[in-house]
Amino acid sequence: DLDRTFWEILSTDHLQLLRNSYAYAAAPVGGHPITVSGPGIIDVTMFRQTQSITVHLVNLTNPMFLRGPVREITPVGPQRVTVRLPAGQSVLKVQLLTYQQPVQYVKSGSSHIVEVPEIAIHEIIAFEIQ
Protein backbone atom coordinates (compact mmCIF):
# COMPACT_ATOMS: atom_id res chain seq x y z
CA ASP A 1 0.00 0.00 0.00
CA LEU A 2 2.64 2.43 -1.19
CA ASP A 3 0.48 5.51 -1.72
CA ARG A 4 -1.16 5.27 1.74
CA THR A 5 2.24 4.79 3.37
CA PHE A 6 3.61 7.84 1.57
CA TRP A 7 0.56 9.85 2.67
CA GLU A 8 1.14 8.90 6.31
CA ILE A 9 4.92 9.24 6.66
CA LEU A 10 5.90 11.46 3.67
CA SER A 11 9.10 9.51 3.00
CA THR A 12 11.08 10.76 0.00
CA ASP A 13 11.97 7.14 -0.82
CA HIS A 14 8.29 6.30 -1.25
CA LEU A 15 7.81 9.40 -3.40
CA GLN A 16 10.70 8.38 -5.66
CA LEU A 17 9.27 4.88 -5.99
CA LEU A 18 5.86 6.32 -6.96
CA ARG A 19 7.49 8.62 -9.54
CA ASN A 20 9.56 5.78 -11.00
CA SER A 21 6.48 3.55 -11.24
CA TYR A 22 4.62 6.23 -13.16
CA ALA A 23 7.57 6.77 -15.52
CA TYR A 24 7.84 3.00 -16.11
CA ALA A 25 4.11 2.75 -16.92
CA ALA A 26 4.29 5.75 -19.30
CA ALA A 27 7.36 4.52 -21.21
CA PRO A 28 5.57 2.14 -23.65
CA VAL A 29 3.32 4.98 -24.87
CA GLY A 30 6.17 7.42 -25.50
CA GLY A 31 6.60 8.89 -22.02
CA HIS A 32 4.64 11.42 -20.07
CA PRO A 33 1.94 13.19 -22.10
CA ILE A 34 2.32 16.26 -19.88
CA THR A 35 5.02 17.76 -17.68
CA VAL A 36 4.81 20.76 -15.38
CA SER A 37 7.80 22.56 -13.93
CA GLY A 38 7.81 25.50 -11.58
CA PRO A 39 7.63 26.32 -7.88
CA GLY A 40 5.07 24.82 -5.53
CA ILE A 41 2.97 21.68 -5.43
CA ILE A 42 0.60 21.35 -8.39
CA ASP A 43 -2.00 18.64 -8.99
CA VAL A 44 -2.26 18.01 -12.74
CA THR A 45 -5.12 16.39 -14.64
CA MET A 46 -5.44 16.19 -18.42
CA PHE A 47 -8.62 15.39 -20.37
CA ARG A 48 -8.41 14.54 -24.07
CA GLN A 49 -11.45 14.87 -26.34
CA THR A 50 -11.86 14.82 -30.13
CA GLN A 51 -11.39 18.56 -30.65
CA SER A 52 -9.71 19.61 -27.41
CA ILE A 53 -7.24 18.88 -24.66
CA THR A 54 -7.93 20.41 -21.25
CA VAL A 55 -5.29 20.62 -18.54
CA HIS A 56 -6.38 21.38 -14.97
CA LEU A 57 -3.72 22.74 -12.62
CA VAL A 58 -4.68 22.88 -8.93
CA ASN A 59 -2.37 24.70 -6.55
CA LEU A 60 -1.89 22.57 -3.43
CA THR A 61 0.89 24.73 -2.02
CA ASN A 62 -0.05 25.67 1.54
CA PRO A 63 1.32 25.27 5.06
CA MET A 64 -1.05 22.34 5.80
CA PHE A 65 -0.35 20.35 2.61
CA LEU A 66 -1.47 16.73 3.11
CA ARG A 67 -2.61 17.53 6.64
CA GLY A 68 -6.15 18.88 6.61
CA PRO A 69 -7.98 21.82 5.10
CA VAL A 70 -6.32 24.67 3.25
CA ARG A 71 -5.86 27.56 5.65
CA GLU A 72 -3.93 29.93 3.40
CA ILE A 73 -3.80 30.45 -0.36
CA THR A 74 -0.23 30.77 -1.59
CA PRO A 75 -0.13 31.74 -5.30
CA VAL A 76 2.67 30.09 -7.28
CA GLY A 77 4.18 30.68 -10.68
CA PRO A 78 5.26 30.83 -13.30
CA GLN A 79 4.59 27.23 -14.34
CA ARG A 80 5.98 25.78 -17.58
CA VAL A 81 3.51 23.23 -18.97
CA THR A 82 4.53 20.91 -21.83
CA VAL A 83 1.78 18.90 -23.53
CA ARG A 84 2.58 16.18 -26.06
CA LEU A 85 -0.13 15.93 -28.71
CA PRO A 86 -1.26 12.71 -30.36
CA ALA A 87 0.24 12.02 -33.80
CA GLY A 88 -1.44 13.99 -36.57
CA GLN A 89 -2.98 16.61 -34.25
CA SER A 90 -2.29 20.33 -34.45
CA VAL A 91 -3.20 23.24 -32.17
CA LEU A 92 -5.61 25.93 -33.35
CA LYS A 93 -5.78 27.98 -30.15
CA VAL A 94 -4.64 27.89 -26.51
CA GLN A 95 -6.40 29.76 -23.68
CA LEU A 96 -6.04 30.14 -19.94
CA LEU A 97 -9.64 29.91 -18.70
CA THR A 98 -9.21 31.20 -15.14
CA TYR A 99 -6.84 33.96 -16.26
CA GLN A 100 -9.38 34.59 -19.07
CA GLN A 101 -7.04 35.24 -21.95
CA PRO A 102 -5.33 33.56 -24.87
CA VAL A 103 -1.76 32.52 -24.17
CA GLN A 104 1.28 32.18 -26.40
CA TYR A 105 2.79 28.74 -26.85
CA VAL A 106 5.96 27.33 -28.36
CA LYS A 107 5.87 24.24 -30.57
CA SER A 108 8.70 21.76 -30.09
CA GLY A 109 8.21 18.59 -32.17
CA SER A 110 4.87 17.07 -31.15
CA SER A 111 4.88 19.05 -27.87
CA HIS A 112 3.50 22.48 -27.08
CA ILE A 113 4.94 24.57 -24.25
CA VAL A 114 2.79 27.08 -22.36
CA GLU A 115 3.91 29.49 -19.63
CA VAL A 116 1.24 29.99 -16.96
CA PRO A 117 2.14 33.23 -15.16
CA GLU A 118 0.48 32.42 -11.81
CA ILE A 119 -1.89 29.95 -10.18
CA ALA A 120 -3.75 31.09 -7.08
CA ILE A 121 -6.10 28.13 -6.68
CA HIS A 122 -6.95 26.62 -10.08
CA GLU A 123 -6.02 27.24 -13.70
CA ILE A 124 -7.32 25.53 -16.79
CA ILE A 125 -5.38 25.42 -20.07
CA ALA A 126 -7.69 24.76 -23.03
CA PHE A 127 -6.09 23.49 -26.26
CA GLU A 128 -8.34 23.63 -29.29
CA ILE A 129 -6.99 20.94 -31.65
CA GLN A 130 -7.72 19.48 -35.06
Side-chain angles (χ1 to χ4, degrees):
D1 197 1
L2 183 62
D3 59 337
R4 182 184 58 81
T5 303
F6 173 67
W7 177 269
E8 289 176 357
I9 64 175
L10 300 177
S11 167
T12 56
D13 291 336
H14 289 94
L15 176 60
Q16 188 63 48
L17 186 56
L18 285 167
R19 284 181 175 163
N20 290 347
S21 298
Y22 179 68
Y24 178 80
V29 293
H32 303 294
I34 183 168
T35 58
V36 178
S37 59
I41 301 162
I42 306 295
D43 180 57
V44 182
T45 305
M46 183 173 91
F47 298 97
R48 190 180 307 168
Q49 297 177 330
T50 307
Q51 299 294 315
S52 67
I53 292 176
T54 307
V55 178
H56 289 260
L57 304 168
V58 179
N59 180 8
L60 300 177
T61 308
N62 70 79
M64 295 296 290
F65 174 65
L66 297 180
R67 298 290 184 235
V70 173
R71 296 194 177 136
E72 177 183 335
I73 296 171
T74 307
V76 296
Q79 300 293 325
R80 181 183 175 105
V81 180
T82 305
V83 176
R84 186 172 38 87
L85 293 182
Q89 298 282 307
S90 60
V91 171
L92 300 174
K93 183 168 99 175
V94 180
Q95 288 188 166
L96 298 177
L97 299 185
T98 302
Y99 206 63
Q100 296 185 349
Q101 70 179 32
V103 66
Q104 298 296 317
Y105 61 90
V106 175
K107 187 174 189 299
S108 175
S110 64
S111 296
H112 291 70
I113 303 165
V114 176
E115 288 281 334
V116 178
E118 182 180 83
I119 303 170
I121 298 171
H122 181 218
E123 183 59 79
I124 302 166
I125 306 171
F127 289 85
E128 188 178 322
I129 60 175
Q130 67 175 7

